[in-house]
Amino acid sequence: MATMKDIARLAKVSTSTVSHVINKSRFVSDEIAERVNNAAKELNYAPSALARSLKMKRTNTIGMLVTTSTNPFFGEVVKGVERRCYEKGYNLILCNTEGDSERMKSSIDTLLQKRVDGLMLMCSTLEGEHLDVFERYPELPVVVMDWGPMLFASDKIQDNSHQGGYMATKYLIDNGHTEIGCITGPLHRNQASLRYEGYKKAMADANLELNPQWIIESNFMCDGGFDSYHKLKSKGQLPSALFVCNDMMAMGVINAAYQGGLHIPSDLSIIGYDDIHLSKFMTPSLTTIHQPKHRLGKAAVDTLINRLKTPDAYPQVVELEPTLVVRDSVQTL
């Protein structure tokens, strides 16, 4: 592999001159710069990213840990992260934790060995885990996405889940529904809890009673929605509408209702949460709360880069606001 010394020998200049041309660190005449560049091209020279990173103490590489899920929400966020990294000239190393805290810790150690400049975490199934790696490396920039209260200092990107839950329920109420149930995610997780609290507040503001028979805690997965529908059905009369706290569970509910002979929305209105790409192609297309997934990814990358520039700044929380997407799964009474 060619080195700067090889280029200097061929171009008949000093090694320091080659360095200035390659790194654009000092003015060099056009004639000499052309000789150096032609020599580099002839020798197929490629700058050493490792050598540059050691000199600059930066690798322009970001590590991201994410929990694999069948929920396309995570993939859509990662796509936003990848795009922003490319726009900002950063490389991305993606690690899958599979919801395992030991695997997450091992992945963090691996990323640190790769000398990443900072970390992004989107592993909400592990929220509340004690990660001593952040105590050992307090200077490591970390941005957390889609996670609840943390035991370490970091910047945080999140959607306003309480507002989203309120908006979803209020939309059902505004369309004449008074018998409204809720299928929640795991309530030990911050976002599931906040969406449920938003639902309860909207019901209270409208002076509507909560029927505990119509509230089911589930798992944010399609099978959870499917099973939750059958639990509701087994308890007797169904409500006229359901706020299902993510689109994947809503898909499961719609499938179970269809198998049970119900029509959506004439027999049961459903509103979801996330606005995953598939939601508009369901039958009927799903009315839902839109999370700005690409902006979530973009904001995480921008926040991490800003942290690299100003490492002593106070940790910040960036909250993105949800919006309502009206489609065909809610009937007006």
Side-chain angles (χ1 to χ4, degrees), residues 16 18 31 59 71 133-134 163 186 225 232 238 278 289 315 317 324:
S16 63
V18 174
E31 185 267 330
T59 61
N71 189 346
V133 65
F134 299 124
Q163 178 65 17
L232 283 171
L238 291 172
L278 292 173
I289 300 298
V317 175
L324 174 69

Side-chain angles (χ1 to χ4, degrees), residues 167-177 180 240-244 254 263-272 284-289 324-333:
M167 289 169 60
T169 310
K170 188 174 186 304
Y171 180 74
L172 296 175
I173 294 168
D174 290 345
N175 279 272
H177 294 275
I180 302 172
S240 68
L242 282 174
F243 167 37
V244 186
I254 289 173
H263 293 88
I264 309 296
S266 56
D267 296 321
L268 178 65
S269 290
I270 294 175
I271 187 168
S285 59
L286 184 65
T287 295
T288 186
I289 300 298
L324 174 69
V325 179
V326 177
R327 296 194 181 105
D328 301 323
S329 61
V330 174
Q331 182 180 41
T332 301
L333 299 183

Side-chain angles (χ1 to χ4, degrees), residues 46-55 58-59 91:
S48 169
L50 177 59
R52 182 172 177 81
S53 68
L54 290 172
K55 182 178 180 180
R58 288 283 175 84
T59 61
N91 300 306

Side-chain angles (χ1 to χ4, degrees), residues 91-164:
N91 300 306
L92 179 69
I93 300 177
L94 190 64
C95 293
N96 167 30
T97 69
E98 293 191 350
D100 184 288
S101 60
E102 290 305 313
R103 182 162 178 174
M104 178 167 67
K105 293 170 185 175
S106 175
S107 295
I108 291 173
D109 286 336
T110 299
L111 290 170
L112 291 176
Q113 291 169 19
K114 298 291 186 182
R115 301 178 64 88
V116 295
D117 295 336
L119 290 178
M120 288 181 290
L121 306 181
M122 191 167 64
C123 317
S124 55
T125 53
L126 299 172
E127 66 182 54
E129 287 281 345
H130 178 76
L131 300 175
D132 60 358
V133 65
F134 299 124
E135 295 175 358
R136 289 187 280 121
Y137 299 95
E139 73 284 354
L140 179 70
V142 178
V143 171
V144 171
M145 310 157 67
D146 188 32
W147 202 332
M150 294 158 305
L151 303 177
F152 52 92
S154 80
D155 296 308
K156 184 176 181 182
I157 314 294
Q158 63 185 21
D159 88 305
N160 190 338
S161 288
H162 186 276
Q163 178 65 17

Side-chain angles (χ1 to χ4, degrees), residues 51-331:
R52 182 172 177 81
S53 68
L54 290 172
K55 182 178 180 180
M56 304 297 293
K57 296 185 179 179
R58 288 283 175 84
T59 61
N60 271 34
T61 302
I62 292 171
M64 182 176 184
L65 283 86
V66 62
T67 298
T68 289
S69 170
T70 56
N71 189 346
F73 167 83
F74 294 99
E76 292 176 31
V77 174
V78 170
K79 185 177 180 180
V81 168
E82 289 179 318
R83 179 180 299 169
R84 192 57 172 173
C85 283
Y86 173 76
E87 292 171 350
K88 290 291 188 178
Y90 278 78
N91 300 306
L92 179 69
I93 300 177
L94 190 64
C95 293
N96 167 30
T97 69
E98 293 191 350
D100 184 288
S101 60
E102 290 305 313
R103 182 162 178 174
M104 178 167 67
K105 293 170 185 175
S106 175
S107 295
I108 291 173
D109 286 336
T110 299
L111 290 170
L112 291 176
Q113 291 169 19
K114 298 291 186 182
R115 301 178 64 88
V116 295
D117 295 336
L119 290 178
M120 288 181 290
L121 306 181
M122 191 167 64
C123 317
S124 55
T125 53
L126 299 172
E127 66 182 54
E129 287 281 345
H130 178 76
L131 300 175
D132 60 358
V133 65
F134 299 124
E135 295 175 358
R136 289 187 280 121
Y137 299 95
E139 73 284 354
L140 179 70
V142 178
V143 171
V144 171
M145 310 157 67
D146 188 32
W147 202 332
M150 294 158 305
L151 303 177
F152 52 92
S154 80
D155 296 308
K156 184 176 181 182
I157 314 294
Q158 63 185 21
D159 88 305
N160 190 338
S161 288
H162 186 276
Q163 178 65 17
Y166 186 93
M167 289 169 60
T169 310
K170 188 174 186 304
Y171 180 74
L172 296 175
I173 294 168
D174 290 345
N175 279 272
H177 294 275
T178 56
E179 298 176 344
I180 302 172
C182 183
I183 298 177
T184 78
L187 291 177
H188 67 275
R189 288 171 55 179
N190 190 59
Q191 288 192 309
S193 176
L194 288 173
R195 291 173 195 179
Y196 178 50
E197 291 301 319
Y199 156 79
K200 291 196 293 184
K201 186 174 190 309
M203 294 289 283
D205 286 353
N207 294 315
L208 296 176
E209 287 190 18
L210 297 179
N211 184 339
Q213 298 295 311
W214 292 340
I215 298 170
I216 305 289
E217 182 178 356
S218 192
N219 64 356
F220 276 152
M221 307 296 285
C222 287
D223 62 351
F226 188 92
D227 294 341
S228 294
Y229 171 81
H230 287 294
K231 289 179 183 177
L232 283 171
K233 189 74 173 173
S234 69
K235 293 181 179 183
Q237 179 184 346
L238 291 172
S240 68
L242 282 174
F243 167 37
V244 186
C245 289
N246 82 340
D247 291 350
M248 294 292 285
M249 292 191 299
M251 291 171 64
V253 172
I254 289 173
N255 182 260
Y258 175 78
Q259 289 185 16
L262 268 64
H263 293 88
I264 309 296
S266 56
D267 296 321
L268 178 65
S269 290
I270 294 175
I271 187 168
Y273 201 110
D274 283 342
D275 191 28
I276 60 175
H277 183 67
L278 292 173
S279 61
K280 63 182 175 182
F281 298 108
M282 295 164 59
T283 302
S285 59
L286 184 65
T287 295
T288 186
I289 300 298
H290 173 77
Q291 280 208 73
K293 296 169 285 298
H294 285 201
R295 283 200 292 123
L296 188 70
K298 176 180 179 293
V301 174
D302 288 348
T303 300
L304 187 56
I305 292 174
N306 288 337
R307 172 62 54 187
L308 291 169
K309 294 176 181 176
T310 55
D312 296 327
Y314 192 78
Q316 63 173 318
V317 175
V318 178
E319 191 164 65
L320 303 178
E321 294 300 319
T323 54
L324 174 69
V325 179
V326 177
R327 296 194 181 105
D328 301 323
S329 61
V330 174
Q331 182 180 41

